[in-house]
Amino acid sequence: MKILFFGRHFTYFRNFESVLRGLAERGHHIHLAADRDEFVGGQHLVETLAATYPGLITYGDAPARADDDDAWVASHLRLGLDYLRYQHRIFDQALTLRERSRDRTPAIFVRAGRIIRRLGEPARRLVVALLRRLERYVPEDPAIREFITSHTPDVVLITPLINLGSSQIEYQRAARGLGIPNALCVWSWDHLSSKALIRDWPDRIFVWNDVQRQEALNLHGVPSDRVVVTGAQCFDQWFNRQPSRDRASFCARIGLPGDRPYVMYACSTLFEHSPPEAKLVVEWVRRVRASRLPHLQNIGILIRPHPSRLYEWDTIDLATMGPTVLWGRNPLDDESKADYFDSMYHSAALVGLITSAFIEAGIVGREVHTVLDPEFEDNQLGTVHYHYLTNTAGGLLIVGKGFDEHLERLNDTLSRPTATVVKPFVQAFVRPHGLDVAGTPRFVEQVEAMNGLQSPHPAPDALAFVWRWAIGRMRALRNDQRYERWVLSERELMVRRRKRESAERKARERGAARKAAREAALKAGQELEQKQAPQAHADQT
C-alpha cells in the first residue's frame, strides 16, 4: 500500500514515529510531505526514518497553494469559520482561544459573532453551515492535485489539519476529488478543542480516547462512524520502559547531588502573548528555597526548557539557586528520549503549567503538580483541555491555588516514598482499550483498513451557481479600499495601514528630494548665468 502523509512541518511526524515504523515494517510505502520549514529537529527525524527504511519511507516538500485571489478568499472564509466556531458555549470559559482567533478574523465575521452570541446556538450553526457550503466552492489549486496524483497513493493522511486558517484542507479536498480515502491524524491532546474547525469531514479521524471522540462529535459535528479510537500511539514508547542508567549515574551526569530527591519542572509551550515562563520558574525556585517545609529543604531541581522557548533562558543565571540545573533536549532521537525518560523516572515528582509531560510522567507513575498563577491563567483555566487533567477518570493533576498551597501539596508528595503508581486517568486518556493494549498496532491496522475505502463525493448543490457568484464577488474585494474595514482582520488592517503610511512617507521624501534637486539645479543655473554675464558683456564690447 502507498501512503502519502502530509504534515505542517517534519517535526509533526514525531508523534507518529511508531506508526510510521510499524507501517514500514509491514511493507507499506510512505512519503512524508511537509509544507513549512521547521527548526526543532524534525529534519533529522525524517532523515533517520528514511535511512532505516530505504525505499519504504521517503520525504520531501509539499506544494503550498499559489498566493492568488482564490487563496485569499479561501483563507478569509476559513478564518471567519474558525472564529464563529469559538462562539460555541463550551468556549465561554476559554476566552483566550476566542480572542486569539479574533485578531486574525475579518471584521465582518467579528460583527457576526457578536450578533450570533445574542441569538444563540441555532443561529451559529445555521451561519456556519452556510459559510461552509460557500467555502467549499473556492476553486482548487491544480498544482496540489498534480502533486498527489504523481505519488499515486492508496491513502492520504494529514496532520494537524486544523490550525487556524490552515491551508492543509487543500490536500484533503484534492484527495477526495481524486477518490482517494483520507484521514485526519489528531496530533495532540488539545487539538480538537483549541484549534480550528474541521471544515470537511475526513473519511476517518484517528483519536486517542473517548474524550476526543466526543469533541469530534460535539464540537465538529463529525459522524460517529468516521471516528476511530486507537489510543495515544505517541505515548507507547514510555510504557514498560526501563531507565538507561541508575539514579546515581544520572544525577552525576546532569550535575545534581545523588544523595537527595529532585523535582523536575517541565516547561510548556504557551499562548503567543504569554509572559516568559522562565520568570515564573525562577520565582518558583526562589519560593521552594525559601520554604520551611521539611521535604523541600535543599531539594534538587531539574528544569527542562521547552524547545521552542529556549531563548527565555539566555540571560538567567541559576548558579546561586542551590542544586538547580537547566538540562534536556527535544526527545527526537534515541539518546534524547533516554535522557527524557530517565529524568522523569528518577524524579520524585513533576511540576509544570500545562504540558503533555504531565501525561508522560503519569505513565511513568510520578505525581504531577501545577500552581495556578494569575499571569498564566489563560493557558490553564482558560483552555478546555486543561480541565481534562483534573476531571477525567478522577484526574491526574494536583493543583495548588497559589504558591503556598502548591508547595504544601508538593511537600506532601515528597513526604511519601517514591512509588510507581499509574492512575486510572492514564488508561482512560492514553490507553482506553486497556493498559496492556498499545495504540500503535491499532493505528496501523486502521490505516490498512482504509485501503479501498470509497470516499463519498458531496451531493450536488442546487445553489452552486450562487456560491460561485459570491466567490467571484469576494475576489473583487481583495484590493478594494472601500471595503477593507469589513473584509480584513485587525492584524491585516494594521499591516496595510503601516504599508500605506510608509508608501506615503517615501512618496513625500521622494517629492521633497525632487523639489530640492530642482531648486539646486535652478540655483546652479542662476549662479552660472551670473558668472557668465560679465564675460558676455566683455565679448560684446
Side-chain angles (χ1 to χ4, degrees):
M1 187 167 74
K2 296 180 70 174
I3 301 166
L4 179 56
F5 198 162
F6 289 101
R8 187 174 174 84
H9 50 69
F10 287 134
T11 304
Y12 271 93
F13 297 119
R14 179 190 71 183
N15 280 5
F16 304 97
E17 181 181 357
S18 63
V19 171
L20 295 171
R21 291 179 180 274
L23 288 167
E25 287 166 4
R26 295 174 73 138
H28 302 298
H29 297 257
I30 311 108
H31 182 76
L32 308 175
D35 59 286
R36 297 199 180 187
D37 294 334
E38 59 85 33
F39 58 92
V40 288
Q43 182 74 30
H44 177 71
L45 169 66
V46 296
E47 288 173 352
T48 300
L49 288 169
T52 305
Y53 303 98
L56 292 175
I57 295 182
T58 56
Y59 64 91
D61 294 332
R65 175 160 191 155
D67 185 16
D68 55 16
D69 289 345
D70 284 331
W72 182 85
V73 170
S75 67
H76 284 68
L77 283 173
R78 290 165 188 169
L79 289 166
L81 278 164
D82 293 340
Y83 181 74
L84 295 180
R85 180 255 180 142
Y86 285 117
Q87 307 312 306
H88 193 291
R89 59 184 177 276
I90 197 173
F91 297 105
D92 285 348
Q93 301 302 316
L95 297 181
T96 299
L97 295 175
R98 190 176 289 164
E99 287 304 305
R100 181 183 63 175
S101 173
R102 180 182 183 277
D103 183 48
R104 300 175 60 188
T105 302
I108 190 170
F109 294 114
V110 175
R111 300 282 182 90
R114 294 175 188 153
I115 297 171
I116 284 170
R117 285 196 58 74
R118 289 197 294 268
L119 296 177
E121 181 62 14
R124 188 193 70 85
R125 290 182 180 178
L126 174 62
V127 174
V128 166
L130 292 173
L131 285 173
R132 287 175 76 162
R133 291 172 70 181
L134 172 62
E135 189 265 340
R136 289 190 185 108
Y137 279 86
V138 177
E140 293 181 16
D141 185 339
I144 291 176
R145 182 173 287 213
E146 290 171 9
F147 175 82
I148 295 176
T149 301
S150 69
H151 286 275
T152 61
D154 299 298
V155 170
V156 169
L157 307 178
I158 307 173
T159 193
L161 183 61
I162 52 176
N163 283 337
L164 289 177
S166 173
S167 62
Q168 284 191 314
I169 193 173
E170 307 289 349
Y171 308 132
Q172 179 193 2
R173 288 185 177 163
R176 172 163 294 174
L178 292 166
I180 303 169
N182 60 88
L184 162 61
C185 305
V186 175
W187 192 78
S188 186
W189 60 309
D190 66 312
H191 273 207
L192 291 178
S193 63
S194 69
K195 304 299 180 185
L197 183 72
I198 299 177
R199 301 176 193 93
D200 283 3
W201 298 326
D203 299 307
R204 292 292 181 268
I205 299 178
F206 298 133
V207 301
W208 294 3
N209 48 49
D210 192 59
V211 171
Q212 288 188 338
R213 181 177 181 276
Q214 292 303 317
E215 287 179 335
L217 301 181
N218 299 330
L219 297 183
H220 299 272
V222 179
S224 61
D225 60 349
R226 300 191 184 204
V227 184
V228 178
V229 178
T230 61
Q233 77 292 329
C234 52
F235 295 129
D236 285 345
Q237 60 188 316
W238 310 122
F239 284 88
N240 304 317
R241 186 174 183 137
Q242 296 301 313
S244 63
R245 72 217 91 184
D246 60 40
R247 188 178 185 281
S249 300
F250 179 75
C251 288
R253 178 179 180 185
I254 65 175
L256 284 178
D259 61 350
R260 69 199 73 176
Y262 71 83
V263 173
M264 174 175 156
Y265 188 103
C267 294
S268 308
T269 177
L270 302 172
F271 290 138
E272 190 175 316
H273 69 275
S274 301
E277 187 178 6
K279 177 183 175 183
L280 173 74
V281 178
V282 169
E283 175 65 13
W284 176 77
V285 174
R286 188 188 69 78
R287 295 207 180 219
V288 169
R289 297 297 178 223
S291 173
R292 297 185 178 183
L293 295 170
H295 297 284
L296 297 181
Q297 299 298 308
N298 211 30
I299 193 170
I301 295 176
L302 164 59
I303 302 169
R304 282 189 62 93
H306 194 275
S308 67
R309 300 173 73 94
L310 292 173
Y311 59 87
E312 292 184 4
W313 298 93
D314 289 345
T315 59
I316 293 178
D317 183 11
L318 300 174
T320 61
M321 298 185 182
T324 302
V325 296
L326 181 74
W327 186 84
R329 296 179 292 130
N330 200 5
L332 292 174
D333 54 49
D334 290 341
E335 182 181 0
S336 59
K337 287 178 182 179
D339 289 343
Y340 181 50
F341 181 82
D342 290 356
S343 64
M344 289 188 294
Y345 184 88
H346 294 304
S347 70
L350 185 137
V351 178
L353 285 177
I354 180 165
T355 168
S356 59
F358 288 153
I359 301 173
E360 291 157 333
I363 293 169
V364 177
R366 298 295 174 264
E367 295 278 25
V368 295
H369 291 254
T370 194
V371 55
L372 294 179
D373 183 89
E375 281 195 296
F376 296 91
E377 184 174 329
D378 289 350
N379 291 276
Q380 297 174 300
L381 299 179
T383 64
V384 175
H385 61 282
Y386 169 84
H387 300 279
Y388 298 150
L389 295 170
T390 57
N391 298 334
T392 302
L396 176 71
L397 190 59
I398 300 173
V399 181
K401 298 176 182 178
F403 279 103
D404 291 342
E405 183 177 328
H406 161 67
L407 293 179
E408 289 176 1
R409 295 191 171 192
L410 181 59
N411 181 75
D412 181 60
T413 292
L414 297 175
S415 69
R416 302 187 297 271
T418 301
T420 302
V421 179
V422 178
K423 293 184 176 180
F425 170 93
V426 173
Q427 176 168 331
F429 207 79
V430 181
R431 285 194 166 176
H433 302 291
L435 280 177
D436 296 328
V437 181
T440 298
R442 295 182 67 88
F443 199 119
V444 170
E445 291 168 2
Q446 290 298 325
V447 171
E448 291 176 329
M450 291 181 65
N451 192 17
L453 184 69
Q454 295 298 312
S455 183
H457 290 278
D461 191 336
L463 296 177
F465 71 97
V466 175
W467 310 130
R468 293 192 180 97
W469 174 84
I471 295 295
R473 295 292 297 169
M474 293 181 68
R475 292 190 193 101
L477 300 178
R478 183 180 188 183
N479 298 307
D480 194 328
Q481 189 173 336
R482 295 174 300 171
Y483 301 103
E484 63 181 19
R485 68 189 184 94
W486 292 102
V487 300
L488 299 183
S489 66
E490 290 182 3
R491 182 183 300 185
E492 289 175 312
L493 281 171
M494 184 180 298
V495 171
R496 186 166 289 191
R497 192 178 303 118
R498 288 175 178 172
K499 286 183 177 179
R500 192 171 292 140
E501 290 172 353
S502 176
E504 291 172 354
R505 183 178 65 253
K506 290 178 180 178
R508 289 195 299 269
E509 291 172 352
R510 287 193 298 269
R514 286 194 296 268
K515 181 179 179 182
R518 287 195 301 269
E519 291 175 349
L522 179 62
K523 183 177 180 181
Q526 291 172 345
E527 291 176 350
L528 181 60
E529 288 178 2
Q530 291 173 358
K531 290 179 180 179
Q532 292 176 343
Q535 183 63 42
H537 179 71
D539 291 343
Q540 291 176 1
T541 303

